[in-house]
């Protein structure tokens, strides 16, 4: 995977950071035995996913590869095998 830029986009970084903060909040409130805070943290996790998807829709995610590029990648993979 070193040759690709999987996940190296502003949409991916932002979504993961927000989700990580949500997991931390949920974890703290789970230990503190506070169900309302726990569910608030889980809500932040889902918000992180929504923000990541919205940023991807706005063009800040990975561009979709064309059919020609996918076919060329498949042919190159087959050439390396044989």
């Amino acid at each position: 995977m070193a040759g690709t830029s999987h996940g190296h986009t502003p949409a991916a970084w932002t979504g993961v950071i927000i989700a990580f903060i949500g997991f931390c909040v949920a974890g703290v409130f789970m230990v503190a035995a506070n169900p309302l805070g726990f569910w608030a943290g889980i809500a932040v996790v889902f918000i992180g996913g929504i923000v990541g998807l919205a940023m991807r829709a706005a063009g800040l995610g990975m561009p979709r590869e064309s059919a020609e590029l996918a076919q060329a990648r498949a042919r190159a993979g087959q050439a390396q095998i044989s």
Side-chain angles (χ1 to χ4, degrees), residues 3-81:
T4 66
S5 60
H6 175 76
H8 297 166
T9 63
W13 278 99
T14 304
V16 168
I17 289 171
I18 292 171
F20 178 73
I21 291 169
F23 277 116
C24 291
V25 168
V28 167
F29 282 108
M30 183 172 59
V31 171
N34 184 335
L36 184 61
F38 169 78
W39 288 111
I42 296 299
V44 172
V45 171
F46 285 113
I47 290 169
I50 292 168
V51 167
L53 288 173
M55 289 179 70
R56 186 178 81 177
L60 295 172
M62 289 287 292
R64 298 195 185 269
E65 79 178 12
S66 66
E68 295 87 24
L69 182 59
Q71 290 172 351
R73 185 183 315 275
R75 283 193 305 270
Q78 289 298 325
Q80 286 180 345
I81 293 172

